């Protein structure tokens, strides 16, 4: 009985310490909201369609029947009312045609050999692929409050919507066949996008 009480006391102490620490780190928590309400909030987010005149290929290379274009374009962020640059690696077959397209959203670590080899394999199977490194790894000196994460998630959705605009206007993409998949945090971003 004494062992059980000591365990419960230690557990309660650890729980209280964790609660105090989290309260100090996240000083301004987002109002409690369930996932469905949150997704509705994301869905209602307005965005400015991509200005195609800002899209420019900055470098290009061909690798065994697949062309890889580093493409930059400007995204308007309606949350901050600012513009920022976005870069994607666009993998497409060298042969002309209309192909399905897939957006690949990496982990928080960013573009790695996993994403590049996946994009290349899609390309070799006549699927245009775009690696969208939209999640930011940089950590602020002080841990942010939940509102910043909320803003970042919604900014990612706007970035990916603009990438869809780019792909649907790309001459090698069938605009009715655009999909996306993500890895780790990228999967969460794709779920919000969907």
């Amino acid at each position: 009985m004494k062992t059980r009480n000591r365990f419960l006391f230690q557990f309660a102490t650890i729980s209280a310490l964790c609660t105090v620490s989290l309260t100090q780190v996240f000083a301004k928590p987002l109002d409690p909201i369930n996932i469905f309400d949150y997704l509705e909030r994301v869905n209602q987010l307005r965005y400015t369609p991509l200005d195609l005149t800002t899209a420019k290929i900055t470098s290009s290379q061909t690798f065994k029947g697949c062309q890889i274009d580093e493409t930059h374009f400007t995204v308007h962020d309606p949350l901050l009312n600012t513009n920022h640059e976005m870069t994607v690696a666009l993998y497409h077959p060298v042969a002309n045609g209309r192909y399905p397209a897939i957006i690949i959203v990496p982990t928080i670590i960013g573009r790695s050999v996993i994403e590049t080899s996946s994009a290349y394999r899609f390309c070799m199977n006549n699927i245009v692929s775009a690696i969208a490194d939209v999640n930011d790894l940089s950590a602020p000196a002080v841990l942010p409050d939940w509102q910043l994460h909320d803003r970042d998630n919604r900014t990612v959705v706007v970035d990916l919507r603009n990438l869809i605009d780019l792909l649907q206007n790309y001459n090698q993409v069938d605009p009715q066949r655009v999909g996306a998949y993500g890895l780790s945090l990228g999967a969460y971003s794709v779920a919000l996008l969907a």
Side-chain angles (χ1 to χ4, degrees), residues 38-58:
Y38 182 73
L39 291 174
E40 182 64 24
R41 182 183 292 178
V42 171
N43 190 47
Q44 290 171 351
L45 177 65
R46 298 291 175 251
Y47 79 107
T48 305
L50 176 65
D51 177 1
L52 292 170
T53 63
T54 68
K56 295 184 180 24
I57 296 172
T58 56

Side-chain angles (χ1 to χ4, degrees), residues 11 30 52 70 79 90 114 116 133 135 146 178 184-185 190 194:
F11 179 76
L30 189 66
L52 292 170
E70 288 285 329
L79 296 168
L90 202 58
I114 295 169
T116 55
D133 191 3
N135 286 302
W146 284 112
V178 176
S184 190
L185 180 59
V190 168

Side-chain angles (χ1 to χ4, degrees), residues 109-129:
I109 295 170
R111 192 189 316 181
S112 72
V113 68
I114 295 169
E115 291 80 18
T116 55
S117 63
S118 296
Y120 177 70
R121 288 175 189 271
F122 280 123
C123 183
M124 295 308 294
N125 285 284
N126 293 324
I127 299 172
V128 174
S129 55

Side-chain angles (χ1 to χ4, degrees), residues 23-40:
T23 303
Q24 291 170 351
V25 171
F26 301 109
K28 296 182 257 178
L30 189 66
D31 292 335
I33 184 170
N34 68 47
I35 189 66
F36 299 107
D37 290 339
Y38 182 73
L39 291 174
E40 182 64 24

Side-chain angles (χ1 to χ4, degrees), residues 141-181:
V142 177
L143 286 174
D145 57 48
W146 284 112
Q147 282 91 341
L148 181 58
H149 291 297
D150 175 57
R151 188 186 73 204
D152 287 350
N153 288 335
R154 291 195 273 172
T155 297
V156 164
V157 170
V158 171
D159 288 348
L160 294 175
R161 283 181 173 181
N162 275 260
L163 177 52
I164 291 170
D165 290 346
L166 178 74
L167 290 172
Q168 288 183 325
N169 285 280
Y170 190 65
N171 60 3
Q172 277 192 304
V173 170
D174 177 349
Q176 300 302 313
R177 296 192 295 163
V178 176
Y181 90 91

